[in-house]
Amino acid sequence: MNRRLALFSVAALAFFAVGSGTAAAQSGGTPAPADTTAAVDPVGTYVIYLTAQGNAMTLIHKIEKKADGTFGGSVTGEGIPALPINSVKVTGKTMRVSVTAPDGSEAIMTMVLDGDQVTGEWSMNGDGSKLTGKKQP
């Protein structure tokens, strides 16, 4: 059961770690216009729903801005210890969150924010799923 919860926690973090692609060149060799989408502010508390090892889970992600300008925080859920968020990379509306599971493995959550709604996916060795959630006010 602890492994299941750890996987779920990692999945939740992966949800926050979504990366966006770059614009492709337009026909005729003209470069595509630069992406002017403002990057989302990842700081806050998120409720994330995902599936780990076939079990539905609810996770709470707390992302904070550190003094050095990078982001960190923790992921918690019923029956699992607090898991550290190692990194958060934001590109436009997409967040890519890296979390260390209790067994030491890495879980990646890729999340796309649309207002306060979150969609995406998480993955780690041998597991993963789609995820949904909401950023709390």
Side-chain angles (χ1 to χ4, degrees):
M1 182 163 171
N2 285 339
R3 177 152 169 77
R4 182 186 87 203
L5 292 176
L7 291 176
F8 177 71
S9 298
V10 172
L13 291 178
F15 174 72
F16 288 100
V18 175
S20 66
T22 57
Q26 296 175 351
S27 62
T30 304
D35 181 3
T36 57
T37 303
V40 297
D41 180 3
V43 173
T45 300
Y46 300 79
V47 176
I48 303 299
Y49 306 98
L50 53 80
T51 301
Q53 296 184 340
N55 298 295
M57 298 184 77
T58 301
L59 300 176
I60 305 297
H61 297 259
K62 292 187 179 181
I63 299 177
E64 304 166 336
K65 189 168 189 174
K66 300 180 195 176
D68 66 1
T70 63
F71 301 99
S74 64
V75 174
T76 58
E78 185 177 329
I80 61 170
L83 302 174
I85 294 175
N86 300 317
S87 66
V88 177
K89 180 181 177 187
V90 179
T91 306
K93 292 183 176 185
T94 301
M95 293 191 302
R96 182 179 188 277
V97 179
S98 170
V99 179
T100 299
D103 67 359
S105 63
E106 179 184 37
I108 300 294
M109 301 182 116
T110 300
M111 303 181 299
V112 176
L113 282 87
D114 185 6
D116 63 355
Q117 299 298 306
V118 180
T119 58
E121 61 189 19
W122 77 274
S123 65
M124 64 180 289
N125 287 335
D127 207 357
S129 77
K130 293 193 180 293
L131 60 84
T132 61
K134 187 171 184 177
K135 185 174 185 178
Q136 301 301 292

